[in-house]
Amino acid sequence: MRVRKFAAIDIGSNAVRLLISNVLETDNKPPTFSKSSLVRVPIRLGTDVFLNGKVSDENSDRLLESMQAFKILMKVHKVEDYRACATSAMREAKNGADLAKTIKKKTGVNIEIIDGSDEAAIIAATDLKTLIEGDKNYLYVDVGGGSTEFTVYAQGETVASKSFKIGTVRLLNETVSHDTWIEVENWIKEHTKGFEDVALIGSGGNINKIFKISGKKEGAALTYSYISSYYQFLMSFSYEERISVLGLNQDRADVIIPAARIYMNAMKWSRAKKIYVPKIGLSDGIVKSLYYSQEEQTASENK
């Protein structure tokens, strides 16, 4: 038996995360992945970028300091390898590429600024495919701060996949046009028409939080009526009350409402009555794609 450690840095529009995973290798068995440590820093890059077009000096410094801290954490955890990926906020920031270069120079952390299709490919490296039953139809919805990725699966195959600039931070900042909502609605309806009993698979911090609050057992589904009722429940509280009364973190208490709205609309437009919430996301996909790419390289070198 051998335990190896890999890490993923996910620089999103609402927060920055470091996931350190244990990979357990046992003879004649597939590797197993388990979370060793997860650190989340609430740097809301999206508010800077979606309103002003660039990352502010203050948040540039916070991001730099976070990467310095993450590098130390990876060292003390004895991480073998890591991959750092930045999504829509850094992608759209006028100073995104320059900031990534500065961070590389000062910390040694190499940040890849990836697009929506890259995000979808990385997430596909997770256990998502193992959750999809071959005789059923699904709409996978990954809601982030700056964008939402949609993928339609039918009979075990990918039918269509697209990233839209609808995210929780964009919605909070009122930078999503009505036309964009119409575009998403038309895309979902077009690619799910003719499919019976479509179910949603949801990922992202907000739907994970909603699922945890529901008290459902892992593997169970949430219904549209539950999501809708919980949305109305949240709306009955002020932002301050969602923190003080409901116990939500301050950087969760606002974005959870637009996130619920995205999931509800996706369910309505795809005619889905249920949403499954597996614990998968970009960080998990980064770790697994990194591990398997190393294994492929090693196998190639040993030929």
PDB file of all heavy atoms in Angstrom, residues 231-267:
ATOM      1  N   TYR A 231     -35.656  28.412  -1.164  1.00  0.00           N
ATOM      2  CA  TYR A 231     -35.376  29.724  -1.767  1.00  0.00           C
ATOM      3  C   TYR A 231     -36.283  30.791  -1.147  1.00  0.00           C
ATOM      4  O   TYR A 231     -35.823  31.870  -0.762  1.00  0.00           O
ATOM      5  CB  TYR A 231     -35.582  29.631  -3.279  1.00  0.00           C
ATOM      6  CG  TYR A 231     -35.472  30.941  -4.023  1.00  0.00           C
ATOM      7  CD1 TYR A 231     -34.227  31.483  -4.333  1.00  0.00           C
ATOM      8  CD2 TYR A 231     -36.613  31.633  -4.444  1.00  0.00           C
ATOM      9  CE1 TYR A 231     -34.120  32.675  -5.033  1.00  0.00           C
ATOM     10  CE2 TYR A 231     -36.519  32.826  -5.138  1.00  0.00           C
ATOM     11  CZ  TYR A 231     -35.264  33.343  -5.415  1.00  0.00           C
ATOM     12  OH  TYR A 231     -35.157  34.532  -6.105  1.00  0.00           O
ATOM     13  N   GLN A 232     -37.572  30.492  -1.054  1.00  0.00           N
ATOM     14  CA  GLN A 232     -38.521  31.441  -0.453  1.00  0.00           C
ATOM     15  C   GLN A 232     -38.196  31.673   1.022  1.00  0.00           C
ATOM     16  O   GLN A 232     -38.320  32.800   1.527  1.00  0.00           O
ATOM     17  CB  GLN A 232     -39.959  30.919  -0.603  1.00  0.00           C
ATOM     18  CG  GLN A 232     -40.439  30.813  -2.042  1.00  0.00           C
ATOM     19  CD  GLN A 232     -40.431  32.165  -2.763  1.00  0.00           C
ATOM     20  OE1 GLN A 232     -40.655  33.209  -2.161  1.00  0.00           O
ATOM     21  NE2 GLN A 232     -40.182  32.127  -4.073  1.00  0.00           N
ATOM     22  N   PHE A 233     -37.780  30.614   1.702  1.00  0.00           N
ATOM     23  CA  PHE A 233     -37.391  30.716   3.109  1.00  0.00           C
ATOM     24  C   PHE A 233     -36.201  31.668   3.260  1.00  0.00           C
ATOM     25  O   PHE A 233     -36.205  32.562   4.119  1.00  0.00           O
ATOM     26  CB  PHE A 233     -37.035  29.324   3.643  1.00  0.00           C
ATOM     27  CG  PHE A 233     -36.465  29.294   5.036  1.00  0.00           C
ATOM     28  CD1 PHE A 233     -37.276  29.518   6.143  1.00  0.00           C
ATOM     29  CD2 PHE A 233     -35.112  29.033   5.236  1.00  0.00           C
ATOM     30  CE1 PHE A 233     -36.745  29.494   7.427  1.00  0.00           C
ATOM     31  CE2 PHE A 233     -34.574  29.000   6.517  1.00  0.00           C
ATOM     32  CZ  PHE A 233     -35.396  29.236   7.616  1.00  0.00           C
ATOM     33  N   LEU A 234     -35.179  31.508   2.418  1.00  0.00           N
ATOM     34  CA  LEU A 234     -34.015  32.383   2.468  1.00  0.00           C
ATOM     35  C   LEU A 234     -34.392  33.827   2.179  1.00  0.00           C
ATOM     36  O   LEU A 234     -33.880  34.761   2.816  1.00  0.00           O
ATOM     37  CB  LEU A 234     -32.961  31.924   1.455  1.00  0.00           C
ATOM     38  CG  LEU A 234     -32.212  30.631   1.746  1.00  0.00           C
ATOM     39  CD1 LEU A 234     -31.385  30.222   0.541  1.00  0.00           C
ATOM     40  CD2 LEU A 234     -31.318  30.780   2.968  1.00  0.00           C
ATOM     41  N   MET A 235     -35.297  34.010   1.217  1.00  0.00           N
ATOM     42  CA  MET A 235     -35.708  35.355   0.828  1.00  0.00           C
ATOM     43  C   MET A 235     -36.465  36.075   1.942  1.00  0.00           C
ATOM     44  O   MET A 235     -36.572  37.305   1.926  1.00  0.00           O
ATOM     45  CB  MET A 235     -36.582  35.279  -0.435  1.00  0.00           C
ATOM     46  CG  MET A 235     -35.823  34.893  -1.684  1.00  0.00           C
ATOM     47  SD  MET A 235     -34.728  36.211  -2.258  1.00  0.00           S
ATOM     48  CE  MET A 235     -35.943  37.361  -2.923  1.00  0.00           C
ATOM     49  N   SER A 236     -36.980  35.329   2.894  1.00  0.00           N
ATOM     50  CA  SER A 236     -37.732  35.947   3.995  1.00  0.00           C
ATOM     51  C   SER A 236     -36.814  36.562   5.051  1.00  0.00           C
ATOM     52  O   SER A 236     -37.286  37.243   5.968  1.00  0.00           O
ATOM     53  CB  SER A 236     -38.666  34.918   4.645  1.00  0.00           C
ATOM     54  OG  SER A 236     -37.928  33.937   5.358  1.00  0.00           O
ATOM     55  N   PHE A 237     -35.504  36.328   4.927  1.00  0.00           N
ATOM     56  CA  PHE A 237     -34.534  36.883   5.854  1.00  0.00           C
ATOM     57  C   PHE A 237     -33.692  37.942   5.150  1.00  0.00           C
ATOM     58  O   PHE A 237     -33.448  37.859   3.944  1.00  0.00           O
ATOM     59  CB  PHE A 237     -33.585  35.793   6.384  1.00  0.00           C
ATOM     60  CG  PHE A 237     -34.244  34.775   7.266  1.00  0.00           C
ATOM     61  CD1 PHE A 237     -34.866  33.656   6.715  1.00  0.00           C
ATOM     62  CD2 PHE A 237     -34.247  34.913   8.643  1.00  0.00           C
ATOM     63  CE1 PHE A 237     -35.469  32.708   7.513  1.00  0.00           C
ATOM     64  CE2 PHE A 237     -34.845  33.973   9.465  1.00  0.00           C
ATOM     65  CZ  PHE A 237     -35.462  32.869   8.895  1.00  0.00           C
ATOM     66  N   SER A 238     -33.227  38.909   5.902  1.00  0.00           N
ATOM     67  CA  SER A 238     -32.273  39.875   5.362  1.00  0.00           C
ATOM     68  C   SER A 238     -30.899  39.219   5.294  1.00  0.00           C
ATOM     69  O   SER A 238     -30.674  38.150   5.872  1.00  0.00           O
ATOM     70  CB  SER A 238     -32.196  41.118   6.259  1.00  0.00           C
ATOM     71  OG  SER A 238     -31.610  40.780   7.517  1.00  0.00           O
ATOM     72  N   TYR A 239     -29.972  39.864   4.604  1.00  0.00           N
ATOM     73  CA  TYR A 239     -28.606  39.352   4.515  1.00  0.00           C
ATOM     74  C   TYR A 239     -28.012  39.168   5.915  1.00  0.00           C
ATOM     75  O   TYR A 239     -27.420  38.124   6.218  1.00  0.00           O
ATOM     76  CB  TYR A 239     -27.749  40.316   3.691  1.00  0.00           C
ATOM     77  CG  TYR A 239     -26.261  40.035   3.741  1.00  0.00           C
ATOM     78  CD1 TYR A 239     -25.729  38.894   3.135  1.00  0.00           C
ATOM     79  CD2 TYR A 239     -25.383  40.914   4.391  1.00  0.00           C
ATOM     80  CE1 TYR A 239     -24.366  38.631   3.175  1.00  0.00           C
ATOM     81  CE2 TYR A 239     -24.020  40.656   4.427  1.00  0.00           C
ATOM     82  CZ  TYR A 239     -23.517  39.518   3.819  1.00  0.00           C
ATOM     83  OH  TYR A 239     -22.168  39.257   3.869  1.00  0.00           O
ATOM     84  N   GLU A 240     -28.203  40.163   6.766  1.00  0.00           N
ATOM     85  CA  GLU A 240     -27.669  40.091   8.131  1.00  0.00           C
ATOM     86  C   GLU A 240     -28.301  38.938   8.907  1.00  0.00           C
ATOM     87  O   GLU A 240     -27.627  38.240   9.673  1.00  0.00           O
ATOM     88  CB  GLU A 240     -27.907  41.411   8.865  1.00  0.00           C
ATOM     89  CG  GLU A 240     -27.084  42.586   8.345  1.00  0.00           C
ATOM     90  CD  GLU A 240     -27.607  43.166   7.041  1.00  0.00           C
ATOM     91  OE1 GLU A 240     -28.756  42.817   6.647  1.00  0.00           O
ATOM     92  OE2 GLU A 240     -26.877  43.948   6.406  1.00  0.00           O
ATOM     93  N   GLU A 241     -29.608  38.726   8.711  1.00  0.00           N
ATOM     94  CA  GLU A 241     -30.301  37.644   9.421  1.00  0.00           C
ATOM     95  C   GLU A 241     -29.857  36.271   8.931  1.00  0.00           C
ATOM     96  O   GLU A 241     -29.821  35.315   9.715  1.00  0.00           O
ATOM     97  CB  GLU A 241     -31.815  37.794   9.261  1.00  0.00           C
ATOM     98  CG  GLU A 241     -32.406  38.961  10.044  1.00  0.00           C
ATOM     99  CD  GLU A 241     -33.858  39.214   9.676  1.00  0.00           C
ATOM    100  OE1 GLU A 241     -34.284  38.821   8.561  1.00  0.00           O
ATOM    101  OE2 GLU A 241     -34.564  39.818  10.503  1.00  0.00           O
ATOM    102  N   ARG A 242     -29.532  36.181   7.653  1.00  0.00           N
ATOM    103  CA  ARG A 242     -29.056  34.891   7.141  1.00  0.00           C
ATOM    104  C   ARG A 242     -27.729  34.517   7.792  1.00  0.00           C
ATOM    105  O   ARG A 242     -27.398  33.338   7.915  1.00  0.00           O
ATOM    106  CB  ARG A 242     -28.945  34.930   5.614  1.00  0.00           C
ATOM    107  CG  ARG A 242     -30.296  35.007   4.912  1.00  0.00           C
ATOM    108  CD  ARG A 242     -30.201  34.698   3.435  1.00  0.00           C
ATOM    109  NE  ARG A 242     -29.519  35.707   2.654  1.00  0.00           N
ATOM    110  CZ  ARG A 242     -30.082  36.792   2.135  1.00  0.00           C
ATOM    111  NH1 ARG A 242     -31.384  37.016   2.329  1.00  0.00           N
ATOM    112  NH2 ARG A 242     -29.389  37.660   1.425  1.00  0.00           N
ATOM    113  N   ILE A 243     -26.972  35.519   8.215  1.00  0.00           N
ATOM    114  CA  ILE A 243     -25.713  35.266   8.932  1.00  0.00           C
ATOM    115  C   ILE A 243     -25.983  35.003  10.416  1.00  0.00           C
ATOM    116  O   ILE A 243     -25.544  33.992  10.965  1.00  0.00           O
ATOM    117  CB  ILE A 243     -24.758  36.472   8.785  1.00  0.00           C
ATOM    118  CG1 ILE A 243     -24.357  36.668   7.314  1.00  0.00           C
ATOM    119  CG2 ILE A 243     -23.510  36.276   9.645  1.00  0.00           C
ATOM    120  CD1 ILE A 243     -23.623  37.964   7.042  1.00  0.00           C
ATOM    121  N   SER A 244     -26.736  35.903  11.061  1.00  0.00           N
ATOM    122  CA  SER A 244     -26.909  35.830  12.519  1.00  0.00           C
ATOM    123  C   SER A 244     -27.925  34.782  12.956  1.00  0.00           C
ATOM    124  O   SER A 244     -27.747  34.129  13.989  1.00  0.00           O
ATOM    125  CB  SER A 244     -27.329  37.200  13.063  1.00  0.00           C
ATOM    126  OG  SER A 244     -28.571  37.604  12.502  1.00  0.00           O
ATOM    127  N   VAL A 245     -28.977  34.586  12.163  1.00  0.00           N
ATOM    128  CA  VAL A 245     -30.036  33.644  12.550  1.00  0.00           C
ATOM    129  C   VAL A 245     -29.811  32.262  11.933  1.00  0.00           C
ATOM    130  O   VAL A 245     -29.906  31.240  12.631  1.00  0.00           O
ATOM    131  CB  VAL A 245     -31.434  34.181  12.146  1.00  0.00           C
ATOM    132  CG1 VAL A 245     -32.520  33.173  12.521  1.00  0.00           C
ATOM    133  CG2 VAL A 245     -31.701  35.529  12.812  1.00  0.00           C
ATOM    134  N   LEU A 246     -29.491  32.232  10.640  1.00  0.00           N
ATOM    135  CA  LEU A 246     -29.335  30.944   9.950  1.00  0.00           C
ATOM    136  C   LEU A 246     -27.911  30.396  10.050  1.00  0.00           C
ATOM    137  O   LEU A 246     -27.675  29.235   9.716  1.00  0.00           O
ATOM    138  CB  LEU A 246     -29.735  31.081   8.479  1.00  0.00           C
ATOM    139  CG  LEU A 246     -31.184  31.537   8.218  1.00  0.00           C
ATOM    140  CD1 LEU A 246     -31.469  31.543   6.720  1.00  0.00           C
ATOM    141  CD2 LEU A 246     -32.176  30.657   8.948  1.00  0.00           C
ATOM    142  N   GLY A 247     -26.977  31.230  10.482  1.00  0.00           N
ATOM    143  CA  GLY A 247     -25.613  30.747  10.675  1.00  0.00           C
ATOM    144  C   GLY A 247     -24.801  30.572   9.410  1.00  0.00           C
ATOM    145  O   GLY A 247     -23.808  29.832   9.408  1.00  0.00           O
ATOM    146  N   LEU A 248     -25.184  31.248   8.323  1.00  0.00           N
ATOM    147  CA  LEU A 248     -24.422  31.149   7.077  1.00  0.00           C
ATOM    148  C   LEU A 248     -23.206  32.070   7.139  1.00  0.00           C
ATOM    149  O   LEU A 248     -23.243  33.143   7.746  1.00  0.00           O
ATOM    150  CB  LEU A 248     -25.298  31.543   5.883  1.00  0.00           C
ATOM    151  CG  LEU A 248     -26.493  30.631   5.578  1.00  0.00           C
ATOM    152  CD1 LEU A 248     -27.336  31.238   4.462  1.00  0.00           C
ATOM    153  CD2 LEU A 248     -26.036  29.236   5.190  1.00  0.00           C
ATOM    154  N   ASN A 249     -22.113  31.637   6.489  1.00  0.00           N
ATOM    155  CA  ASN A 249     -20.945  32.504   6.384  1.00  0.00           C
ATOM    156  C   ASN A 249     -21.293  33.744   5.587  1.00  0.00           C
ATOM    157  O   ASN A 249     -22.152  33.704   4.693  1.00  0.00           O
ATOM    158  CB  ASN A 249     -19.779  31.776   5.707  1.00  0.00           C
ATOM    159  CG  ASN A 249     -19.186  30.695   6.592  1.00  0.00           C
ATOM    160  OD1 ASN A 249     -19.311  30.736   7.821  1.00  0.00           O
ATOM    161  ND2 ASN A 249     -18.559  29.709   5.967  1.00  0.00           N
ATOM    162  N   GLN A 250     -20.609  34.851   5.855  1.00  0.00           N
ATOM    163  CA  GLN A 250     -20.972  36.108   5.210  1.00  0.00           C
ATOM    164  C   GLN A 250     -20.787  36.072   3.689  1.00  0.00           C
ATOM    165  O   GLN A 250     -21.506  36.765   2.965  1.00  0.00           O
ATOM    166  CB  GLN A 250     -20.189  37.273   5.810  1.00  0.00           C
ATOM    167  CG  GLN A 250     -18.683  37.195   5.624  1.00  0.00           C
ATOM    168  CD  GLN A 250     -17.976  38.345   6.310  1.00  0.00           C
ATOM    169  OE1 GLN A 250     -18.301  38.693   7.431  1.00  0.00           O
ATOM    170  NE2 GLN A 250     -16.995  38.929   5.632  1.00  0.00           N
ATOM    171  N   ASP A 251     -19.843  35.261   3.208  1.00  0.00           N
ATOM    172  CA  ASP A 251     -19.652  35.181   1.757  1.00  0.00           C
ATOM    173  C   ASP A 251     -20.502  34.073   1.136  1.00  0.00           C
ATOM    174  O   ASP A 251     -20.414  33.825  -0.058  1.00  0.00           O
ATOM    175  CB  ASP A 251     -18.175  34.980   1.407  1.00  0.00           C
ATOM    176  CG  ASP A 251     -17.636  33.646   1.863  1.00  0.00           C
ATOM    177  OD1 ASP A 251     -17.907  33.274   3.016  1.00  0.00           O
ATOM    178  OD2 ASP A 251     -16.953  32.971   1.069  1.00  0.00           O
ATOM    179  N   ARG A 252     -21.329  33.424   1.942  1.00  0.00           N
ATOM    180  CA  ARG A 252     -22.286  32.439   1.447  1.00  0.00           C
ATOM    181  C   ARG A 252     -23.709  32.989   1.517  1.00  0.00           C
ATOM    182  O   ARG A 252     -24.568  32.641   0.717  1.00  0.00           O
ATOM    183  CB  ARG A 252     -22.203  31.146   2.282  1.00  0.00           C
ATOM    184  CG  ARG A 252     -23.183  30.058   1.892  1.00  0.00           C
ATOM    185  CD  ARG A 252     -22.789  29.393   0.586  1.00  0.00           C
ATOM    186  NE  ARG A 252     -21.557  28.653   0.709  1.00  0.00           N
ATOM    187  CZ  ARG A 252     -20.727  28.404  -0.305  1.00  0.00           C
ATOM    188  NH1 ARG A 252     -21.000  28.854  -1.514  1.00  0.00           N
ATOM    189  NH2 ARG A 252     -19.612  27.708  -0.115  1.00  0.00           N
ATOM    190  N   ALA A 253     -23.937  33.865   2.504  1.00  0.00           N
ATOM    191  CA  ALA A 253     -25.291  34.336   2.803  1.00  0.00           C
ATOM    192  C   ALA A 253     -25.921  35.138   1.674  1.00  0.00           C
ATOM    193  O   ALA A 253     -27.155  35.236   1.596  1.00  0.00           O
ATOM    194  CB  ALA A 253     -25.269  35.176   4.082  1.00  0.00           C
ATOM    195  N   ASP A 254     -25.110  35.713   0.793  1.00  0.00           N
ATOM    196  CA  ASP A 254     -25.678  36.467  -0.328  1.00  0.00           C
ATOM    197  C   ASP A 254     -25.741  35.636  -1.609  1.00  0.00           C
ATOM    198  O   ASP A 254     -26.768  35.583  -2.286  1.00  0.00           O
ATOM    199  CB  ASP A 254     -24.925  37.770  -0.563  1.00  0.00           C
ATOM    200  CG  ASP A 254     -23.418  37.602  -0.678  1.00  0.00           C
ATOM    201  OD1 ASP A 254     -22.917  36.457  -0.600  1.00  0.00           O
ATOM    202  OD2 ASP A 254     -22.716  38.628  -0.847  1.00  0.00           O
ATOM    203  N   VAL A 255     -24.660  34.889  -1.916  1.00  0.00           N
ATOM    204  CA  VAL A 255     -24.607  34.170  -3.192  1.00  0.00           C
ATOM    205  C   VAL A 255     -25.521  32.944  -3.237  1.00  0.00           C
ATOM    206  O   VAL A 255     -25.860  32.459  -4.320  1.00  0.00           O
ATOM    207  CB  VAL A 255     -23.166  33.739  -3.550  1.00  0.00           C
ATOM    208  CG1 VAL A 255     -22.295  34.948  -3.836  1.00  0.00           C
ATOM    209  CG2 VAL A 255     -22.557  32.875  -2.455  1.00  0.00           C
ATOM    210  N   ILE A 256     -25.944  32.440  -2.086  1.00  0.00           N
ATOM    211  CA  ILE A 256     -26.766  31.230  -2.075  1.00  0.00           C
ATOM    212  C   ILE A 256     -28.122  31.466  -2.730  1.00  0.00           C
ATOM    213  O   ILE A 256     -28.704  30.549  -3.326  1.00  0.00           O
ATOM    214  CB  ILE A 256     -26.930  30.696  -0.622  1.00  0.00           C
ATOM    215  CG1 ILE A 256     -27.441  29.247  -0.645  1.00  0.00           C
ATOM    216  CG2 ILE A 256     -27.815  31.615   0.211  1.00  0.00           C
ATOM    217  CD1 ILE A 256     -27.373  28.562   0.717  1.00  0.00           C
ATOM    218  N   ILE A 257     -28.611  32.702  -2.691  1.00  0.00           N
ATOM    219  CA  ILE A 257     -29.914  33.001  -3.290  1.00  0.00           C
ATOM    220  C   ILE A 257     -29.857  32.992  -4.822  1.00  0.00           C
ATOM    221  O   ILE A 257     -30.656  32.300  -5.464  1.00  0.00           O
ATOM    222  CB  ILE A 257     -30.473  34.324  -2.730  1.00  0.00           C
ATOM    223  CG1 ILE A 257     -30.942  34.090  -1.293  1.00  0.00           C
ATOM    224  CG2 ILE A 257     -31.608  34.861  -3.594  1.00  0.00           C
ATOM    225  CD1 ILE A 257     -31.495  35.303  -0.597  1.00  0.00           C
ATOM    226  N   PRO A 258     -28.937  33.724  -5.464  1.00  0.00           N
ATOM    227  CA  PRO A 258     -28.864  33.615  -6.931  1.00  0.00           C
ATOM    228  C   PRO A 258     -28.499  32.204  -7.397  1.00  0.00           C
ATOM    229  O   PRO A 258     -28.933  31.783  -8.469  1.00  0.00           O
ATOM    230  CB  PRO A 258     -27.793  34.639  -7.320  1.00  0.00           C
ATOM    231  CG  PRO A 258     -27.057  34.953  -6.069  1.00  0.00           C
ATOM    232  CD  PRO A 258     -28.032  34.774  -4.965  1.00  0.00           C
ATOM    233  N   ALA A 259     -27.721  31.466  -6.585  1.00  0.00           N
ATOM    234  CA  ALA A 259     -27.391  30.082  -6.962  1.00  0.00           C
ATOM    235  C   ALA A 259     -28.653  29.235  -7.013  1.00  0.00           C
ATOM    236  O   ALA A 259     -28.878  28.491  -7.970  1.00  0.00           O
ATOM    237  CB  ALA A 259     -26.397  29.485  -5.968  1.00  0.00           C
ATOM    238  N   ALA A 260     -29.494  29.354  -5.990  1.00  0.00           N
ATOM    239  CA  ALA A 260     -30.745  28.600  -5.966  1.00  0.00           C
ATOM    240  C   ALA A 260     -31.611  28.961  -7.164  1.00  0.00           C
ATOM    241  O   ALA A 260     -32.273  28.096  -7.761  1.00  0.00           O
ATOM    242  CB  ALA A 260     -31.495  28.873  -4.665  1.00  0.00           C
ATOM    243  N   ARG A 261     -31.593  30.217  -7.535  1.00  0.00           N
ATOM    244  CA  ARG A 261     -32.372  30.680  -8.699  1.00  0.00           C
ATOM    245  C   ARG A 261     -31.900  30.007  -9.982  1.00  0.00           C
ATOM    246  O   ARG A 261     -32.707  29.581 -10.819  1.00  0.00           O
ATOM    247  CB  ARG A 261     -32.234  32.200  -8.811  1.00  0.00           C
ATOM    248  CG  ARG A 261     -33.071  32.829  -9.902  1.00  0.00           C
ATOM    249  CD  ARG A 261     -32.835  34.329  -9.917  1.00  0.00           C
ATOM    250  NE  ARG A 261     -33.364  34.944 -11.131  1.00  0.00           N
ATOM    251  CZ  ARG A 261     -32.980  36.127 -11.575  1.00  0.00           C
ATOM    252  NH1 ARG A 261     -32.072  36.833 -10.916  1.00  0.00           N
ATOM    253  NH2 ARG A 261     -33.497  36.622 -12.691  1.00  0.00           N
ATOM    254  N   ILE A 262     -30.577  29.872 -10.141  1.00  0.00           N
ATOM    255  CA  ILE A 262     -30.034  29.210 -11.337  1.00  0.00           C
ATOM    256  C   ILE A 262     -30.475  27.748 -11.378  1.00  0.00           C
ATOM    257  O   ILE A 262     -30.938  27.254 -12.415  1.00  0.00           O
ATOM    258  CB  ILE A 262     -28.498  29.314 -11.376  1.00  0.00           C
ATOM    259  CG1 ILE A 262     -28.060  30.773 -11.544  1.00  0.00           C
ATOM    260  CG2 ILE A 262     -27.937  28.467 -12.531  1.00  0.00           C
ATOM    261  CD1 ILE A 262     -26.551  30.987 -11.391  1.00  0.00           C
ATOM    262  N   TYR A 263     -30.348  27.046 -10.256  1.00  0.00           N
ATOM    263  CA  TYR A 263     -30.733  25.635 -10.226  1.00  0.00           C
ATOM    264  C   TYR A 263     -32.231  25.467 -10.483  1.00  0.00           C
ATOM    265  O   TYR A 263     -32.639  24.560 -11.212  1.00  0.00           O
ATOM    266  CB  TYR A 263     -30.355  24.998  -8.878  1.00  0.00           C
ATOM    267  CG  TYR A 263     -28.876  24.815  -8.692  1.00  0.00           C
ATOM    268  CD1 TYR A 263     -28.179  25.553  -7.733  1.00  0.00           C
ATOM    269  CD2 TYR A 263     -28.152  23.922  -9.481  1.00  0.00           C
ATOM    270  CE1 TYR A 263     -26.809  25.385  -7.558  1.00  0.00           C
ATOM    271  CE2 TYR A 263     -26.788  23.764  -9.314  1.00  0.00           C
ATOM    272  CZ  TYR A 263     -26.123  24.500  -8.351  1.00  0.00           C
ATOM    273  OH  TYR A 263     -24.766  24.343  -8.196  1.00  0.00           O
ATOM    274  N   MET A 264     -33.051  26.325  -9.886  1.00  0.00           N
ATOM    275  CA  MET A 264     -34.508  26.227 -10.097  1.00  0.00           C
ATOM    276  C   MET A 264     -34.866  26.435 -11.562  1.00  0.00           C
ATOM    277  O   MET A 264     -35.686  25.701 -12.120  1.00  0.00           O
ATOM    278  CB  MET A 264     -35.241  27.250  -9.224  1.00  0.00           C
ATOM    279  CG  MET A 264     -35.310  26.886  -7.763  1.00  0.00           C
ATOM    280  SD  MET A 264     -36.477  27.937  -6.850  1.00  0.00           S
ATOM    281  CE  MET A 264     -35.782  29.553  -7.137  1.00  0.00           C
ATOM    282  N   ASN A 265     -34.252  27.432 -12.189  1.00  0.00           N
ATOM    283  CA  ASN A 265     -34.539  27.680 -13.602  1.00  0.00           C
ATOM    284  C   ASN A 265     -34.089  26.516 -14.473  1.00  0.00           C
ATOM    285  O   ASN A 265     -34.788  26.120 -15.412  1.00  0.00           O
ATOM    286  CB  ASN A 265     -33.867  28.972 -14.062  1.00  0.00           C
ATOM    287  CG  ASN A 265     -34.645  30.212 -13.676  1.00  0.00           C
ATOM    288  OD1 ASN A 265     -35.875  30.183 -13.611  1.00  0.00           O
ATOM    289  ND2 ASN A 265     -33.956  31.300 -13.406  1.00  0.00           N
ATOM    290  N   ALA A 266     -32.915  25.960 -14.168  1.00  0.00           N
ATOM    291  CA  ALA A 266     -32.421  24.812 -14.938  1.00  0.00           C
ATOM    292  C   ALA A 266     -33.376  23.631 -14.808  1.00  0.00           C
ATOM    293  O   ALA A 266     -33.639  22.911 -15.786  1.00  0.00           O
ATOM    294  CB  ALA A 266     -31.022  24.425 -14.473  1.00  0.00           C
ATOM    295  N   MET A 267     -33.922  23.413 -13.606  1.00  0.00           N
ATOM    296  CA  MET A 267     -34.876  22.322 -13.402  1.00  0.00           C
ATOM    297  C   MET A 267     -36.168  22.593 -14.168  1.00  0.00           C
ATOM    298  O   MET A 267     -36.725  21.701 -14.815  1.00  0.00           O
ATOM    299  CB  MET A 267     -35.165  22.143 -11.911  1.00  0.00           C
ATOM    300  CG  MET A 267     -33.965  21.659 -11.106  1.00  0.00           C
ATOM    301  SD  MET A 267     -34.307  21.386  -9.353  1.00  0.00           S
ATOM    302  CE  MET A 267     -35.122  19.772  -9.424  1.00  0.00           C
TER     303      MET A 267
END
